[in-house]
Amino acid sequence: MRGETATLGCHFKVESLKYGVQWFKMKPGKQLIPKSSRQIFVEKNQSSSLVIPEVTLEDSGWYYCEVNVLQKDPQRGNGTELCVLAPPSAPKIFLQIPSNPQTDHWALICLTGGFHPSRVTLTWTYHSAAADIDHLSDANCTVPASNSHGSLPEPPADGALLSSDQFVKSAAAHQSQCLLMTDNHSLDVYLFSGIILPKKQSMKAGITFTCWVKDHPAMNDSLTSFFTWDASPNELITYLNILKLCFLSAATVVFLLEAVKHAWVQRK
């Protein structure tokens, strides 16, 4: 796992007491590993170990131990492959409110990231006896893409922002949308999965949506996140309008009080 200590062992048998041991990594060519604070070499009884504390994703690869004996050709083994795993983060669900909440589609977006290798599945489920949203059974994202559930479009260009409206519009034709992005510096992978909710007229209160993260080699159990739709969009819009009216009313009262105060001062 990323952050743990990896120990690679090399065992050999030589008759001469004059020999040297070197470690190499294929990147993809043969590259000598120097002694440093990140790579510790331990040699004892015709064996050598390469210790890498707090491994990172960049430490993944093939490592070789090479033994040099005086007046003989260097000898090396078949190598050891180091695969560093990083589990996905706990999923987070975001409610995406469109520009026009009364007529446009609302959406839920699930996000997980920081995992390696880039092999994971995001799945949506829901629980409600009154709702009719059958398309959620197809709202799966699998990386690498191995089925037709959802889609993996090209990520936006560097510096481009993905707005909620763009995500909703791009996903509307498929009912589910997947977006895979990689941080070139840290090599962390992020996966977004979005689902389009039905029209607000058919949405009922009390629907619980669940986003599942599973099928990753660095985790044994699935990770989940829940979102409960406690009020229909009509009610939410009503609450927003009430808050807006309250704010405008308060602003009007403050304005009137200031006007009265100013007029009273003028009279004096």
Side-chain angles (χ1 to χ4, degrees), residues 22-267:
Q22 292 179 313
W23 283 87
F24 295 89
K25 182 181 180 182
M26 304 303 291
K27 289 182 129 179
K30 180 179 176 181
Q31 181 174 343
L32 177 66
I33 299 178
K35 294 184 178 180
S36 66
S37 58
R38 285 215 65 242
Q39 286 92 16
I40 304 171
F41 299 90
V42 179
E43 296 187 18
K44 183 180 179 181
N45 298 330
Q46 295 194 6
S47 66
S48 177
S49 297
L50 171 62
V51 181
I52 309 176
E54 298 183 0
V55 293
T56 65
L57 300 182
E58 292 83 356
D59 292 321
S60 297
W62 280 91
Y63 291 82
Y64 294 90
C65 164
E66 188 173 271
V67 180
N68 296 277
V69 181
L70 188 63
Q71 297 181 346
K72 291 186 177 180
D73 294 332
Q75 299 292 325
R76 74 177 189 185
N78 295 325
T80 300
E81 183 180 15
L82 174 62
C83 181
V84 180
L85 302 178
S89 62
K92 295 182 179 180
I93 296 179
F94 303 92
L95 175 64
Q96 298 293 311
I97 303 176
S99 326
N100 192 335
Q102 294 184 343
T103 59
D104 295 340
H105 280 281
W106 296 49
L108 291 177
I109 293 180
C110 182
L111 166 66
T112 184
F115 55 91
H116 184 83
S118 56
R119 185 168 72 251
V120 74
T121 298
L122 277 183
T123 302
W124 286 94
T125 60
Y126 75 97
H127 176 72
S128 174
D132 182 16
I133 38 182
D134 293 336
H135 70 263
L136 283 186
S137 60
D138 294 328
N140 296 347
C141 294
T142 299
V143 181
S146 59
N147 54 40
S148 59
H149 302 308
S151 57
L152 289 170
E154 291 294 328
D158 292 342
L161 296 177
L162 182 68
S163 69
S164 59
D165 284 348
Q166 289 174 335
F167 197 98
V168 168
K169 290 177 181 178
S170 63
H174 306 91
Q175 300 299 343
S176 64
Q177 182 80 2
C178 308
L179 181 64
L180 181 69
M181 304 185 73
T182 303
D183 186 328
N184 293 329
H185 176 70
S186 65
L187 301 182
D188 286 339
V189 180
Y190 297 89
L191 180 62
F192 302 80
S193 174
I195 58 171
I196 304 302
L197 300 179
K199 291 291 186 179
K200 62 182 186 299
Q201 293 84 354
S202 62
M203 289 290 289
K204 306 291 183 180
I207 304 175
T208 299
F209 299 88
T210 306
C211 177
W212 300 76
V213 178
K214 54 186 179 180
D215 300 334
H216 191 271
M219 53 187 290
N220 296 322
D221 300 318
S222 300
L223 301 175
T224 58
S225 180
F226 303 93
F227 178 88
T228 300
W229 189 273
D230 291 324
S232 68
N234 281 328
E235 293 173 332
L236 288 175
I237 294 171
T238 300
Y239 297 151
L240 292 175
N241 288 334
I242 291 175
L243 289 175
K244 185 192 298 183
L245 289 175
C246 292
F247 175 78
L248 292 175
S249 299
T252 303
V253 170
V254 171
F255 175 79
L256 291 176
L257 289 175
E258 288 294 328
V260 171
K261 180 180 178 180
H262 179 72
W264 181 261
V265 172
Q266 290 288 79
R267 286 184 179 183

